[in-house]
């Protein structure tokens, strides 16, 4: 896992619209409420890969560790919300992730490669936006938390990329670029809101 | 969470059939393969409760922590399997848990109470069996791991019971006893195999 593919630096392919940060900062409660579920779903997605690919020992260990990280993030975000006196809210669903998942090809080995790369793309975008928040937040504890979460998501992006490279050493790079372009287009055609994606 | 309901000691209601341990020890690879998925599903179940009940802050924090524990267990069991040179296997499903879940009543507030209690019952049984394994295994590292996992599952059982008590302070105890009796009957009518349940 140490030899991180250089392509990681190209995820996300297109920077977040500069208007997003202002919209997010104007309704931090909504951002945190959405963020809690993002971390929960990231943990669940990692666990779902263990269910699908138990025979891939490296993937099982990496995904169990990643889910372990993400569940700590759920604790941390829920604690932040408690400090702000904000109860969590229902998850309103995530059509951003759903639209990306539509591009996952059926049938192995494409299915495994695409699942890993879609998660890499989502982690890359999350890392970028959490860092934007970290740099802009005023509360020191929140800044620190968001900076640490952004760093973790960069690491997770690169774990998914390394697993994708193992799954398809010759094809992963081109497919990652395709999915990164698709992700940029999905965001471009989407209303900007006070959510992580 | 500290004031642990005394009923915890009554879960499981009926001790595991003494034949189970010999059958489990005779095919430890099968037990570990099943156990990995049990830990994964326990993490996923905890996360599913966060999705269903985000407004219950105590539940969100407790379940995020519990999922964090369970994901560490997935790492630990996968490492044990690696040491034994055993790749993980597909999950063959869990009709034990499925049969228990059939007794979860529809509609709130019964639904939340029953979901919490079914998880408490499962954790109670897991704790008992992991401790039986811990006491019987020969490999010192495996003994130590299983003893620590058994202790963790006792704690998880009591977390679910405490949340059930918060959900229904007057009714939780009687319902827990009902579900514990149902669980004992499910096990009695089930072939004994080299699995956790």
């Amino acid at each position: 896992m140490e030899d991180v593919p250089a392509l990681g630096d190209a995820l996300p392919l297109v920077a977040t619209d500069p208007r997003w940060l202002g919209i997010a900062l104007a309704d931090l409660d909504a951002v945190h409420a959405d963020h809690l579920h993002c971390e929960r779903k990231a943990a669940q997605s990692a666990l779902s890969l263990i269910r699908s690919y138990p025979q891939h020992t490296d993937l099982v260990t990496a995904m169990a560790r990643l889910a372990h990280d993400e569940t700590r993030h759920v604790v941390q975000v829920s604690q932040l919300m408690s400090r702000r006196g904000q109860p969590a809210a229902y998850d309103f669903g995530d059509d951003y992730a759903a639209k990306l998942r539509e591009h996952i090809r059926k049938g192995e080995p494409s299915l495994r490669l695409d699942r890993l790369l879609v998660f890499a793309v989502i982690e890359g975008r999350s890392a970028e936006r959490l860092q934007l928040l970290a740099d802009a937040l005023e509360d020191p504890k929140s800044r620190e938390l968001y900076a640490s979460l952004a760093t973790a998501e960069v690491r997770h992006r690169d774990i998914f990329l390394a697993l994708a490279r193992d799954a398809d050493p010759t094809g992963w790079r081109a497919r990652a670029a395709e999915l990164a372009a698709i992700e940029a287009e999905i965001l471009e055609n989407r209303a900007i809101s006070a959510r992580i994606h």
Side-chain angles (χ1 to χ4, degrees), chain A:
Chain A
M1 288 297 162
E2 300 318 310
D3 170 28
V4 163
L7 188 69
D9 298 333
L11 291 182
L13 183 67
V14 175
T16 280
D17 187 309
R19 289 170 295 175
W20 174 80
L21 184 60
I23 290 168
L25 291 172
D27 193 355
L28 274 180
D29 280 351
V31 171
H32 295 321
D34 179 54
H35 185 190
L36 182 85
H37 290 294
C38 289
E39 299 286 0
R40 173 182 60 74
K41 287 181 282 195
Q44 287 180 313
S45 298
L47 294 167
S48 75
L49 285 169
I50 296 176
R51 178 171 195 271
S52 299
Y53 304 108
Q55 71 277 32
H56 294 282
T57 305
D58 287 355
L59 179 150
V60 169
T61 309
M63 290 302 101
R65 289 202 171 119
L66 193 144
H68 191 55
D69 271 9
E70 302 288 21
T71 50
R72 186 178 55 248
H73 300 171
V74 177
V75 175
Q76 291 172 314
V77 175
S78 80
Q79 287 171 336
L80 169 65
M81 293 172 73
S82 288
R83 279 204 306 277
R84 294 169 58 89
Q86 180 202 2
Y90 286 106
D91 182 11
F92 297 112
D94 192 342
D95 60 314
Y96 162 81
K99 279 192 161 63
L100 255 173
R101 276 198 304 268
E102 284 171 15
H103 295 273
I104 294 175
R105 291 167 295 175
K106 307 268 181 286
E108 298 297 355
S110 308
L111 176 62
R112 174 160 60 107
L113 179 69
D114 284 5
R115 285 178 74 182
L116 292 167
L117 288 174
V118 160
F119 291 135
V121 164
I122 295 174
E123 296 276 7
R125 178 64 65 192
S126 304
E128 181 217 21
R129 292 194 166 182
L130 298 184
Q131 189 61 54
L132 288 171
L133 285 170
D135 294 341
L137 288 166
E138 290 187 5
D139 170 50
K141 271 183 133 170
S142 299
R143 288 177 71 94
E144 197 183 330
L145 172 62
Y146 272 80
S148 75
L149 295 178
T151 304
E153 305 304 22
V154 166
R155 194 173 64 243
H156 294 169
R157 176 198 69 192
D158 292 342
I159 286 168
F160 282 117
L161 289 177
L163 289 171
R165 179 196 54 194
D166 295 347
D168 183 355
T170 55
W172 72 275
R173 208 177 271 272
R175 184 61 180 155
E178 280 173 13
L179 289 167
I182 288 168
E183 191 260 1
E185 199 184 325
I186 289 170
L187 272 190
E188 203 181 313
N189 291 309
R190 209 160 174 276
I192 301 171
S193 66
R195 301 182 56 168
I196 300 298
H197 304 122

